[in-house]
Amino acid sequence: MNYTNLVLFALGLFGILIHNLIKVETINRQSEGHFNFKKFLSLEWPSIAISFSVVGVCLIAKHEVKQLEEVGNWLGLAFVTIGYTAQSIVYKYLGTAEKKIKGDA
């Protein structure tokens, strides 16, 4: 299947949405249904913006990686995965960097 850049970007955004909905669901259960979307967004906007950026970079770079043409039908699923995992990867590395800066690691 030939995916357009717009479709791949949308699939990446769906991955970001899925990741954030899972976080919202967890927070909502912990707060017994008193989830505050405004507070969530004020805390999470940087990681969401980073995820958007990662999806954008991958979209631009996909033309540079010849092996992606071989992936073909799996490219759409790959972009959902990229969107979903971008925030998790950022959290892991930012958390590690923060610990090193504070001297905890």
Side-chain angles (χ1 to χ4, degrees):
M1 176 173 187
N2 288 330
Y3 291 101
T4 65
N5 286 341
L6 182 60
V7 170
L8 290 174
F9 189 71
L11 289 168
L13 296 183
F14 277 120
I16 295 169
L17 178 64
I18 293 166
H19 186 272
N20 283 289
L21 286 174
I22 290 170
K23 289 166 78 175
V24 166
E25 194 271 337
T26 301
I27 294 168
N28 194 43
R29 285 187 185 275
Q30 290 173 347
S31 65
E32 297 178 352
H34 299 289
F35 175 74
N36 185 337
F37 183 74
K38 186 176 178 182
K39 184 175 180 182
F40 175 80
L41 202 54
S42 70
L43 292 170
E44 293 294 323
W45 74 264
S47 63
I48 294 170
I50 290 169
S51 296
F52 272 75
S53 301
V54 169
V55 170
V57 168
C58 289
L59 188 61
I60 293 166
K62 81 172 178 68
H63 297 293
E64 297 176 7
V65 181
K66 298 287 185 196
Q67 291 85 354
L68 285 177
E69 292 176 13
E70 297 172 10
V71 175
N73 292 335
W74 296 99
L75 193 57
L77 185 58
F79 269 80
V80 173
T81 304
I82 288 167
Y84 181 83
T85 60
Q87 279 182 288
S88 299
I89 292 168
V90 168
Y91 277 125
K92 180 183 183 326
Y93 288 109
L94 286 181
T96 302
E98 186 177 352
K99 285 180 183 177
K100 287 183 180 181
I101 289 170
K102 289 182 179 180
D104 295 342

